[in-house]
Amino acid sequence: MNVSVVLFFVHNVLATVLLGSKFVRRSDPVFRYFGIGLLLDALAFAMWTLGYLNPDQLLNFITFGAIALLVSFVFFLYASLQQVASGARSLVTMLGVVAILGIFYVGRYGDPASGDISPEGLLFFNLTPLVQMLYIFALAFVAFPVIDIVASRFKAPYSTLIRYGLIAEVVGGILLITSKDVQVLYIMGWIIGVVYAALWGTLFFSKKAWSSVS
């Protein structure tokens, strides 16, 4: 077991819980659904942490985490559609649900992967190229629009921190999915951790950051 990996996952759980809890309590529906998505991401990280700590059940916990992550994509999509007419919003959301079910089916049954823990103590999901493509496309498709909308609700410099901080988290997540280079993963892990700390430290403790939002 690699202690730094455990701390990475635990911090991700803490960070997404703190951020999600702040957003989900806001009256703005964009914030509420975005916050639910973050809390589901926290559940995904928690499942992967449990899998790392219980290698005999690793694949089961990877699956549980993947389900939580994919459901969060639906909430991020729905959050980004709040300014769209209700009929179109429902239609696009339903299409998103179908796409997510398709990704889960392909990743679980059609082109399955087998996660493992490397000799260095790193957790690898070992997604096949097809499944990697599907996850990355879905993540980028739902994350970038809602990040822009959420960030636009804040005033500078907080809007800049949120926009580029969350973009960095998405890019980091993509690298964690695709890279198997130990040095790259360690560097990316530190970047993700520092950016998350800046985000939750600012948004959880700074009242001034929320002064211009509902």
Side-chain angles (χ1 to χ4, degrees):
M1 181 186 300
N2 188 322
V3 176
S4 63
V5 173
V6 176
L7 293 175
F8 170 78
F9 277 111
V10 170
H11 180 244
N12 280 353
V13 174
L14 173 66
T16 44
V17 166
L18 291 176
L19 289 171
S21 65
K22 289 294 290 186
F23 280 105
V24 80
R25 292 199 297 264
R26 312 304 298 190
S27 60
D28 188 332
V30 173
F31 285 168
R32 285 205 312 272
Y33 292 114
F34 181 68
I36 293 172
L38 289 176
L39 292 175
L40 285 165
D41 284 348
L43 178 60
F45 284 121
M47 291 297 101
W48 296 328
T49 305
L50 290 174
Y52 185 80
L53 296 174
N54 299 275
D56 292 341
Q57 297 295 319
L58 178 61
L59 294 183
N60 288 331
F61 281 113
I62 285 178
T63 300
F64 297 150
I67 292 171
L69 179 69
L70 289 171
V71 175
S72 79
F73 289 177
V74 177
F75 281 92
F76 291 145
L77 175 63
Y78 194 72
S80 70
L81 297 172
Q82 291 305 298
Q83 303 303 317
V84 178
S86 60
R89 181 168 65 242
S90 298
L91 175 60
V92 174
T93 302
M94 289 183 63
L95 292 174
V97 171
V98 171
I100 291 305
L101 290 173
I103 293 172
F104 177 76
Y105 179 83
V106 172
R108 184 68 176 85
Y109 302 105
D111 195 10
S114 57
D116 63 22
I117 299 173
S118 73
E120 298 85 6
L122 300 179
L123 173 60
F124 289 106
F125 297 109
N126 294 329
L127 301 180
T128 64
L130 173 62
V131 178
Q132 282 187 10
M133 179 198 73
L134 294 174
Y135 269 91
I136 292 170
F137 182 85
L139 174 60
F141 187 84
V142 302
F144 291 135
V146 76
I147 287 172
D148 188 62
I149 294 170
V150 168
S152 69
R153 298 291 206 271
F154 291 83
K155 290 184 178 179
Y158 304 105
S159 59
T160 302
L161 171 64
I162 292 167
R163 177 175 286 107
Y164 292 103
L166 291 176
I167 288 174
E169 298 299 287
V170 172
V171 173
I174 292 172
L175 287 173
L176 292 181
I177 290 173
T178 57
S179 178
K180 289 194 173 184
D181 184 273
V182 174
Q183 184 177 13
V184 169
L185 293 174
Y186 271 115
I187 293 172
M188 202 66 250
W190 275 103
I191 292 173
I192 289 173
V194 169
V195 172
Y196 255 149
L199 285 168
W200 70 256
T202 300
L203 295 181
F204 196 78
F205 292 109
S206 174
K207 293 182 178 180
K208 187 176 180 181
W210 297 92
S211 61
S212 63
V213 301
S214 59

